[in-house]
């Protein structure tokens, strides 16, 4: 059983294994004398006293092992030279100088701290050696340092993800707790800008020194607890963060209502924090960290890494692999690919060091011949199969990863969502370009501090802090809106009125208690005194936390404070005295129509009369005769249509068409005139002395407004003369000023906001009236500092109060029954008189019809007399000839009908003459009564021809006329037979 040969074989195999392992170890440390492979020296500077440094160290060793394990890469051997910076900047700088001067490293990985990396980058730029550092501070600029390659994501890349979380929960203010070092301060500008992009304010920045003791941390947390903000963003190293959360738990700041967000460095290194600290003091914290996709390669590598870590650091507690270790592995892998791309021919042999005397260490550094080649290859590289995911470097900067959002629960973390630059927050990460579900834009269920599932509001009124300082205006009038009194014994300030009552009801409607104190502010409005703008400005100077009362929301004030939703109606209008009773005026019959309408009607009467005269002059004897008669006929005929009293016959169809339209126009005008005059004479109305503000400017009237109001600026914007302004405080002063008028030391109008004018008219509704227009404003509101978290809650409470019965009760309490005065709400109409605008359509129709008829007549007339126009006479002679023809009566004697009519008329004349000689010829004809009208001697029949609007005869007259016509016909027949 104990064969000596077997024992010797086992010892021989063990010896060979030991020799092989030692030989391999010498190879990766550069101690091998084998010259068959080209050696590339790479410096590594890490803080081996930290867990992160050790994690990266093991990852680098495994990356080089994987590189050398590839048989095709035997021509190039990468030799790592590890140096420990011992968490000291000077040690890191010395290590870099040593590696560059004595080792002649072609590239350096590290250091891991930003302060250490800053100096090493300068060395790399000087000797043209690439510096691949996992430092995350954004103050280290890749653009300004050409030989710097960042092998990790900068801390600034996570700021948008954090801002998106804050936006998702509508938090308006946050507090940033950061390490007072270059690591902590580097993120502040980027985080502040990202939060401002979503209208969120960093209300306070709390700097914690790395050397701060527990008492200093506790005092800082106590200060934060006295503030309103309850959202904290923590950017600390794990060791300092552990102490902070322990003290936050003791301070009661890890309870319901608080929200904590930790940055990626702390989230990625949770494994390095004591599990007891996580379980006791960090429950409910949200964190962000780069997302590392799970893969079989990653699981296999993790097992190898854990085994190797136990081998290299057997006395260290087990540390888990983190993203910094994966980045280190991928960075070294990218470096090995760059070395392969450069090739063996480009890699120089070792050079002898410079032996010149009196040279400093920096002067003795030689410029690398291969560093620039490695840099060009690594500046833009991509590892699609990297352990950390898609390891993509562009222009020396690692491209952003999707961020994973986690919730710390129990001893570990639970994923609740993702954030990407393209899609923002999502519950699940979109893969392969597939669209997200409808509810994908929300995070998963989050357990907040205090084991609450209710989203923290983000702020609280601290019970141990100061009370809300509420500014209230003190003025001499309008006490229905606000009245401020101070108790002479206790000096306690009380405010009553419409505004304070609404404010107190809003406070009661809030889901939490808001203690407050009223602080009076005097409004006097003398040239050098204070007004409402000064009261609102006290918020920006932090003398007041809020302002209530009759404070109007305006665009100018909204620039430096935030207002709640308004709780009153909005608008600026004008109140003027009413006129006396116009029904006693002797000229009231002229008021139904405006002057321009009167003028237009008169002009159309003349125009229509002229058109009718032109159309009837040649064919109608009633429109002929002396010139005076013709001119009188023009005026008489058209004006007689106003009362339908004209008796003249018209013969032209064009005239009939014109008169049909004109009579309709006259009918409409007379009907409206009658209705308007009747309304004026029967209905007593309150008519304003001034109809609009422009009348005040034209007449130079004085204008009144309320003291301290912004209405003064509004009036100046309307081009009012500021010397015509007069300010008042009470309703009685308003009444006195309007009663006296501008000429007696008063004003012609009061310009104020609608709530005040409603109150004024409720008291003096029979003496004054409101005239337009109404200039829109936003109404009364409560003012708070910019981005105050109270504004949304107060606005919701205002809506709740306005929708309830309380608002009606409070209006009744302070302003009385608004229905008692029927005239106060009616905006005065500018005038009851009818204007030309109401009848433009009618006049247009009448004008077009009359003009068209006139043009048709002219065309026909000129066509009939075209032989005159065809002559060679001058234009004046042609016009004179045309005028003569127009003035001549048109000859219609050729018609057969007219000849027969003339014969019958002559016979009738003979018959009447014979009847006069011997009455028995017409024995049956009675004597002519006064009602019977005989022909005028022109031979025209008494029967009306053409268009006539004369009044018809009575039934008796028609009977008599018919009887006479029958008898006359029988007599005429007998005479003819004889």
């Amino acid at each position: 059983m104990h064969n000596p040969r077997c024992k010797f074989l086992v010892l021989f195999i063990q010896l060979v294994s030991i020799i092989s392992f030692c030989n391999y170890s010498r190879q990766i440390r550069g101690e091998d004398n084998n010259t068959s492979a080209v050696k590339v020296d790479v410096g590594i500077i890490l803080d081996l006293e930290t867990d992160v440094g050790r994690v990266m160290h093991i990852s680098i060793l495994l990356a080089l092992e994987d590189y050398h394990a590839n048989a095709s890469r035997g021509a190039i051997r990468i030799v790592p030279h590890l140096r420990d910076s011992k968490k000291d900047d000077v040690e890191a700088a010395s290590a870099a100088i040593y590696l560059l001067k004595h080792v002649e490293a072609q590239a350096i990985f590290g250091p891991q701290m930003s302060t250490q990396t800053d100096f090493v980058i300068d060395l790399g730029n000087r000797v043209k050696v690439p510096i691949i550092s996992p430092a995350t501070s954004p103050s280290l600029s890749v653009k300004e340092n050409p030989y710097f390659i960042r092998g990790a994501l900068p801390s600034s890349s996570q700021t948008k993800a954090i801002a998106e979380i804050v936006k998702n929960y509508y938090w308006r203010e946050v507090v940033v707790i950061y390490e007072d070092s270059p690591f902590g301060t580097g993120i502040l500008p980027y985080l502040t800008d990202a939060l401002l992009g979503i209208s969120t304010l960093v209300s306070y920045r709390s700097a914690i020194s790395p050397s701060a003791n527990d008492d200093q941390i506790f005092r800082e947390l106590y200060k934060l607890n006295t503030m309103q903000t309850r959202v904290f963003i923590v950017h600390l190293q794990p060791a300092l963060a552990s102490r902070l959360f322990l003290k936050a738990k003791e301070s009661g700041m890890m309870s319901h209502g608080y929200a904590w967000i930790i940055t990626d460095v702390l989230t990625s290194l949770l494994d390095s924090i004591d599990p007891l600290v996580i379980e006791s003091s960090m429950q409910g914290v949200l964190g962000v960290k780069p997302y590392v996709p799970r893969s079989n390669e990653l699981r296999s590598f993790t097992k190898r890494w854990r085994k190797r870590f136990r081998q290299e650091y057997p006395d260290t507690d087990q540390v888990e692999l983190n993203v910094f270790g994966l980045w280190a592995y991928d960075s070294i892998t990218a470096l090995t690919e760059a070395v392969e791309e450069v090739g063996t021919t480009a890699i120089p042999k070792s050079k002898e060091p410079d032996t010149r005397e009196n040279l400093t260490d920096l002067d003795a550094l030689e410029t690398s011949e291969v560093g620039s080649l490695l840099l060009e290859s690594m500046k833009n590289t991509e590892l699609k199969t990297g352990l950390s995911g898609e390891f993509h470097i562009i222009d020396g900067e690692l491209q952003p990863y999707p961020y994973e959002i986690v919730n710390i629960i129990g001893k570990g973390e639970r994923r609740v969502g993702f954030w990407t630059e393209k899609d923002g927050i999502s519950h699940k990460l979109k893969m392969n370009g597939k669209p997200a579900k409808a509810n994908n834009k929300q995070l998963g269920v989050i357990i907040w501090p205090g084991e609450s599932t209710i989203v923290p509001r983000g702020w609280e009124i601290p019970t141990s802090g100061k009370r809300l300082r509420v500014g209230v205006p003190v003025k001499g009038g309008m006490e229905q809106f606000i009245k401020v009194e101070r108790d002479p014994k206790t000096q306690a300030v009380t405010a009553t009125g419409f505004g304070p009552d609404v404010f107190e009801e809003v406070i009661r409607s809030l889901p939490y208690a808001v203690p407050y104190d009223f602080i009076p502010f005097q409004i006097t409005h003398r040239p050098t005194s204070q007004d409402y703008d000064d009261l609102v400005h006290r918020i920006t100077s932090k003398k007041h936390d809020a302002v209530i009362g009759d404070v109007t929301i305006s665009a100018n004030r909204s620039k430096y404070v935030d207002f709640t939703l308004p709780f009153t109606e909005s608008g600026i209008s004008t109140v003027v005295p009413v006129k006396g009773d116009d029904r006693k005026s002797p000229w009231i019959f002229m008021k139904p129509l405006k002057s321009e309408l009167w003028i237009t009607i008169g002009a159309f009467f003349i125009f229509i009369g002229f058109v009718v005269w032109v159309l009837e002059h040649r064919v109608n004897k009633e429109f002929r005769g002396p010139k005076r008669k013709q001119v009188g006929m023009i005026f008489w005929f058209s004006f007689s249509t106003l009362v339908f009293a004209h008796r003249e016959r018209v013969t032209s169809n064009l005239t009939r068409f014109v008169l049909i339209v004109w009579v309709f126009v006259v009918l409409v005008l007379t009907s409206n005139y009658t209705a308007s005059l009747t309304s004026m004479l029967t209905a007593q109305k309150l008519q304003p002395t001034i109809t609009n503000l422009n009348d005040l400017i034209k007449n130079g009237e004085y204008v009144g407004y309320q003291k301290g109001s912004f209405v003064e600026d509004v009036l100046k914007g309307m081009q009012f003369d500021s010397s015509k302004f007069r300010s008042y405080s009470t309703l009685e002063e308003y009444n006195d000023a309007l009663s006296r008028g501008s000429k007696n030391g008063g004003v012609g109008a009061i310009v104020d906001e609608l709530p005040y004018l409603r109150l004024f008219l409720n008291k003096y509704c029979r003496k004054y009236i409101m005239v337009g227009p109404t200039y829109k404003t936003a109404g009364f509101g409560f003012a708070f500092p910019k981005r105050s978290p109270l504004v949304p809650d107060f606005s919701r409470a205002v809506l709740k109060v306005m929708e309830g019965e309380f608002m009606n009760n409070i209006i009744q309490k302070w302003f009385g029954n608004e229905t008692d005065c029927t005239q106060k709400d009616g905006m005065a109409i500018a005038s009851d008189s009818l204007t030309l605008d109401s009848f433009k359509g009618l006049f247009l129709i009448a004008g077009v019809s009359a003009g068209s008829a006139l043009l048709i007549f002219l065309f026909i007339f000129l066509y009939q007399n075209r032989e005159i126009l065809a002559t060679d006479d001058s234009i004046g002679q042609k016009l004179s000839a045309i005028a003569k023809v127009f003035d001549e009566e048109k000859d219609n004697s050729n018609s057969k009908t007219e000849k027969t009519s003339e014969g019958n008329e002559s016979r009738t004349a003979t018959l009447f003459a014979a009847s006069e000689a011997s009455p028995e010829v017409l024995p049956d004809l009675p004597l002519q009564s006064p009602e019977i009208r005989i022909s005028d001697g022109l031979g025209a029949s008494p029967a009306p021809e053409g268009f006539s609007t004369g009044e018809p005869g009575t039934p008796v007259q028609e009977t008599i006329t018919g009887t006479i016509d029958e008898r006359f016909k029988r007599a005429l027949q007998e005479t003819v037979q004889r």
Side-chain angles (χ1 to χ4, degrees):
M1 295 180 61
H2 302 280
N3 191 341
R5 292 182 179 180
C6 292
K7 292 182 179 180
F8 176 77
L9 182 61
V10 171
L11 292 174
F12 179 77
I13 293 174
Q14 291 179 349
L15 180 62
V16 171
S17 299
I18 293 173
I19 295 173
S20 299
F21 177 78
C22 295
N23 182 52
Y24 178 77
S25 299
R26 286 195 300 270
Q27 286 179 357
I28 64 174
R29 287 175 171 81
E31 299 172 0
D32 186 36
N33 295 325
N34 185 14
T35 58
S36 61
V38 177
K39 184 177 68 173
V40 177
D41 297 297
V42 175
I44 300 173
I45 305 175
L46 297 173
D47 291 329
L48 296 181
E49 297 179 5
T50 64
D51 290 341
V52 176
R54 295 168 183 171
V55 167
M56 290 192 290
H57 176 215
I58 301 303
S59 297
I60 292 172
L61 292 181
L62 293 177
L64 292 177
E65 284 185 7
D66 292 343
Y67 170 75
H68 291 110
N70 192 337
S72 62
R73 295 174 178 175
I76 299 178
R77 184 163 50 89
I78 299 178
V79 181
H81 300 272
L82 178 64
R83 293 294 180 269
D84 185 5
S85 63
K86 300 178 182 180
K87 302 172 64 174
D88 184 77
D89 296 351
V90 177
E91 286 288 344
S94 300
I97 294 174
Y98 175 83
L99 292 172
L100 294 172
K101 180 180 178 181
H102 298 287
V103 178
E104 296 183 355
Q106 304 299 324
I108 294 179
F109 180 89
Q112 65 193 64
M113 302 300 295
S114 301
T115 54
Q116 301 172 5
T117 306
D118 195 9
F119 178 73
V120 176
I121 289 175
D122 291 336
L123 292 178
N125 294 335
R126 180 167 183 170
V127 298
K128 297 183 179 181
V129 170
I131 307 297
I132 309 165
S133 174
T136 61
S137 175
S139 60
L140 301 175
S141 174
V142 173
K143 295 181 179 180
E144 296 178 359
N145 300 283
Y147 280 83
F148 171 46
I149 299 174
R150 196 191 306 273
L153 289 179
S155 57
S156 57
S157 64
Q158 64 183 315
T159 55
K160 292 183 179 179
I162 296 174
E164 195 71 20
I165 296 175
V166 173
K167 179 183 178 181
N168 189 66
Y169 296 109
Y170 304 101
W171 293 324
R172 300 293 301 277
E173 290 187 5
V174 299
V175 171
V176 178
I177 304 175
Y178 64 97
E179 184 177 301
D180 191 11
S181 66
F183 162 79
T185 57
I187 195 177
L188 287 181
Y190 302 92
L191 182 59
T192 303
D193 291 343
L195 292 171
L196 288 177
I198 61 169
S199 300
T200 298
L201 177 67
V202 178
S203 60
Y204 185 72
R205 299 178 180 180
S206 176
I208 307 293
S209 173
S211 60
N213 55 39
D214 290 347
D215 290 338
Q216 292 173 330
I217 296 175
F218 188 83
R219 285 195 297 269
E220 185 66 20
L221 289 174
Y222 177 80
K223 183 195 300 184
L224 298 179
N225 205 22
T226 60
M227 300 178 182
Q228 292 185 356
T229 307
R230 292 293 181 264
V231 181
F232 305 99
I233 299 175
V234 180
H235 184 61
L236 300 174
Q237 296 281 3
L240 186 57
S242 300
R243 298 165 54 202
L244 174 78
F245 280 105
L246 284 172
K247 292 303 176 183
K249 180 67 174 180
E250 294 180 14
S251 304
M253 299 175 68
M254 296 303 299
S255 58
H256 175 71
Y258 291 83
W260 295 81
I261 303 174
I262 57 178
T263 57
D264 60 350
V265 171
L266 183 55
T267 308
S268 299
L269 302 179
L270 281 177
D271 294 329
S272 63
I273 298 178
D274 188 348
L276 295 178
V277 175
I278 296 176
E279 198 169 0
S280 65
S281 305
M282 296 184 67
Q283 296 299 294
V285 174
L286 286 182
V288 296
K289 65 178 183 177
Y291 170 65
V292 177
R294 305 304 180 195
S295 63
N296 295 330
E297 291 79 5
L298 179 60
R299 285 190 290 268
S300 176
F301 177 79
T302 303
K303 293 179 181 179
R304 291 174 53 206
W305 184 91
R306 288 173 179 171
K307 182 179 179 181
R308 186 63 177 272
F309 187 88
R310 287 193 295 267
Q311 293 176 356
E312 293 289 336
Y313 302 101
D315 298 332
T316 304
D317 295 337
Q318 182 62 39
V319 177
E320 294 297 327
L321 177 64
N322 53 50
V323 69
F324 290 98
L326 299 179
W327 281 336
Y329 181 92
D330 290 340
S331 297
I332 296 300
T333 302
L335 176 61
T336 60
E337 291 188 356
V339 171
E340 286 289 330
E341 184 177 347
V342 170
T344 58
T345 57
I347 300 176
K349 303 296 182 181
S350 299
K351 296 188 302 182
E352 295 293 331
D354 198 330
T355 57
R356 289 177 294 173
E357 297 180 356
N358 301 326
L359 292 178
T360 64
D361 287 340
L362 296 180
D363 292 331
L365 296 179
E366 294 288 340
T367 302
S368 173
E369 298 180 4
V370 74
S372 58
L373 299 177
L374 292 175
L375 178 69
E376 291 299 324
S377 180
M378 286 201 66
K379 272 278 186 178
N380 297 278
T381 185
E382 180 178 5
L383 298 178
K384 292 186 178 181
T385 59
L387 290 179
S388 61
E390 292 188 5
F391 189 84
H392 192 189
I393 295 178
I394 297 179
D395 295 331
E397 192 79 73
L398 182 62
Q399 295 306 293
Y401 280 52
Y403 273 92
E404 185 178 1
I405 303 173
V406 299
N407 186 202
I408 298 178
I409 302 296
K411 296 181 179 180
E413 61 189 42
R414 180 172 60 89
R415 181 192 300 162
V416 293
F418 298 89
W419 177 89
T420 61
E421 183 79 26
K422 180 180 179 181
D423 301 319
I425 281 181
S426 59
H427 182 54
K428 295 182 178 180
L429 189 64
K430 294 195 302 184
M431 302 299 292
N432 301 325
K434 295 181 179 179
K437 297 181 179 179
N439 59 352
N440 195 41
K441 289 299 181 182
Q442 298 297 325
L443 296 176
V445 178
I446 296 175
I447 305 299
W448 300 96
E451 298 183 356
S452 172
T453 57
I454 301 175
V455 178
R457 186 169 49 246
W459 66 275
E460 294 287 347
I461 297 295
T463 55
S464 59
K466 61 181 181 180
R467 296 163 63 89
L468 200 67
R469 299 166 299 174
V470 181
V472 288
V474 180
K475 53 185 182 179
M478 307 293 183
E479 295 180 350
Q480 293 88 342
F481 288 95
I482 187 167
K483 180 181 179 181
V484 180
E485 296 177 325
R486 185 187 293 273
D487 191 312
K489 296 182 180 180
T490 63
Q491 297 299 312
V493 178
T494 59
T496 58
F498 177 72
D501 280 4
V502 173
F503 176 75
E504 292 174 359
E505 183 65 19
V506 168
I507 290 291
R508 286 192 288 268
S509 300
L510 294 174
Y512 47 85
V514 180
Y516 62 90
D517 295 319
F518 288 131
I519 301 177
F521 183 84
Q522 188 70 38
I523 303 290
T524 54
H525 194 63
R526 290 188 295 271
T528 58
S529 70
Q530 307 166 121
D531 57 11
Y532 278 84
D533 287 341
D534 297 316
L535 171 60
V536 175
H537 271 296
R538 291 177 72 86
I539 294 179
T540 59
S541 61
K542 297 185 178 181
K543 296 178 181 178
H544 293 336
D545 300 317
V547 168
I548 71 164
D550 50 348
V551 180
T552 303
I553 303 171
S554 67
N556 182 52
R557 294 170 183 170
S558 297
K559 294 178 181 178
Y560 44 90
V561 297
D562 281 344
F563 285 95
T564 64
L565 292 176
F567 57 88
T568 63
E569 60 181 331
S570 61
I572 299 174
S573 194
T574 307
V575 166
V576 298
V578 298
K579 293 181 180 179
D581 192 356
D582 290 335
R583 294 180 296 174
K584 300 178 181 180
S585 173
W587 299 100
I588 190 173
F589 69 91
M590 295 292 292
K591 292 186 177 180
L593 305 182
K594 282 286 190 179
S595 57
E596 65 269 16
L597 183 55
W598 279 116
I599 295 172
T600 304
I601 292 174
F604 262 83
F605 273 130
I606 297 174
F607 175 65
I608 296 298
F610 172 75
V611 172
V612 171
W613 175 81
V614 171
L615 298 177
E616 294 291 324
H617 177 68
R618 299 188 66 223
V619 297
N620 196 333
K621 293 184 179 295
E622 295 184 4
F623 289 86
R624 300 187 61 81
K627 293 182 179 179
R628 292 181 180 178
K629 176 185 176 183
Q630 296 183 50
V631 173
M633 181 60 67
I634 291 175
F635 285 93
W636 154 254
F637 185 84
S638 59
F639 279 96
S640 64
T641 59
L642 186 63
V643 292
F644 309 105
H646 59 284
R647 311 290 296 183
E648 292 78 16
R649 297 171 299 167
V650 293
T651 60
S652 173
N653 287 330
L654 291 175
T655 307
R656 294 187 183 105
F657 169 70
V658 172
L659 287 180
I660 288 173
V661 177
W662 177 243
V663 168
F664 175 74
V665 173
V666 171
L667 176 63
V668 174
L669 289 173
T670 54
S671 300
N672 281 276
Y673 175 84
T674 303
S676 180
L677 181 61
T678 303
S679 176
M680 288 182 176
L681 293 175
T682 56
Q684 183 180 4
K685 294 183 178 180
L686 299 179
Q687 295 294 333
T689 56
I690 297 172
T691 58
N692 55 62
L693 295 179
N694 291 329
D695 294 340
L696 296 173
I697 300 176
K698 294 177 182 178
N699 301 335
E701 297 273 0
Y702 283 88
V703 180
Y705 62 94
Q706 187 179 167
K707 287 182 179 179
S709 173
F710 74 104
V711 174
E712 179 182 4
D713 296 329
V714 176
L715 292 174
K716 291 179 180 178
M718 297 179 185
Q719 307 303 319
F720 272 90
D721 184 2
S722 59
S723 62
K724 299 292 184 179
F725 294 166
R726 288 174 178 170
S727 59
Y728 305 99
S729 299
T730 64
L731 301 180
E732 291 73 18
E733 291 179 355
Y734 277 5
N735 176 44
D736 179 66
L738 287 172
S739 299
R740 287 186 285 125
S742 296
K743 297 181 180 179
N744 299 317
V747 294
I750 294 291
V751 180
D752 209 340
E753 298 176 73
L754 287 179
Y756 303 112
L757 297 183
R758 300 290 191 204
L759 182 63
F760 177 69
L761 291 177
N762 196 35
K763 187 175 183 179
Y764 301 101
C765 60
R766 299 297 177 182
K767 297 175 61 177
Y768 309 104
I769 194 168
M770 195 184 303
V771 298
T774 298
Y775 299 93
K776 291 297 181 181
T777 59
F780 297 162
F782 304 135
F784 290 91
K786 273 290 188 183
R787 300 181 181 86
S788 171
L790 285 171
V791 173
D793 290 347
F794 265 72
S795 294
R796 285 188 286 268
V798 166
L799 288 177
K800 183 178 179 181
V801 170
M802 292 183 66
E803 292 173 356
E805 188 64 25
F806 172 81
M807 187 60 70
N808 294 330
N809 296 334
I810 197 174
I811 291 175
Q812 179 70 24
K813 173 184 176 181
W814 292 107
F815 306 132
N817 189 358
E818 295 188 351
T819 61
D820 290 344
C821 182
T822 58
Q823 298 290 341
K824 69 179 180 60
D825 284 330
M827 298 299 294
I829 302 173
S831 175
D832 283 338
S833 301
L834 300 174
T835 62
L836 178 61
D837 295 335
S838 303
F839 302 97
K840 284 183 177 179
L842 278 176
F843 288 119
L844 179 62
I845 294 172
V848 171
S849 60
S852 300
L854 186 60
L855 289 175
I856 292 172
F857 170 80
L858 290 177
F859 288 149
I860 295 174
F861 176 73
L862 293 176
Y863 178 76
Q864 292 174 348
N865 298 275
R866 59 187 179 277
E867 66 277 0
I868 299 176
L869 299 176
T871 61
D872 296 334
D873 296 339
S874 63
I875 295 177
Q877 291 174 341
K878 291 179 181 180
L879 293 176
S880 178
I882 290 293
K884 289 180 180 179
V885 173
F886 175 76
D887 191 51
E888 293 176 356
E889 183 178 2
K890 188 175 181 181
D891 186 11
N892 293 328
S893 58
N894 295 329
S895 86
K896 223 181 234 184
T897 304
E898 291 181 353
K899 289 182 179 179
T900 306
S901 178
E902 288 177 0
N904 291 337
E905 288 176 359
S906 62
R907 292 176 183 174
T908 303
T910 305
L911 177 60
F912 273 99
S915 65
E916 289 178 0
S918 49
E920 58 271 6
V921 175
L922 298 173
D924 296 331
L925 291 176
L927 295 177
Q928 182 179 358
S929 65
E931 290 81 1
I932 301 174
R933 298 178 59 188
I934 308 301
S935 175
D936 57 3
L938 297 176
S941 173
E945 290 182 15
F947 187 89
S948 176
T949 58
E951 296 180 359
T954 61
V956 176
Q957 292 174 334
E958 292 176 355
T959 304
I960 294 173
T961 304
T963 304
I964 293 173
D965 289 343
E966 292 175 0
R967 293 181 179 180
F968 177 76
K969 290 179 180 179
R970 288 198 300 270
L972 182 60
Q973 291 174 358
E974 291 176 359
T975 303
V976 172
Q977 290 174 0
R978 291 175 183 175

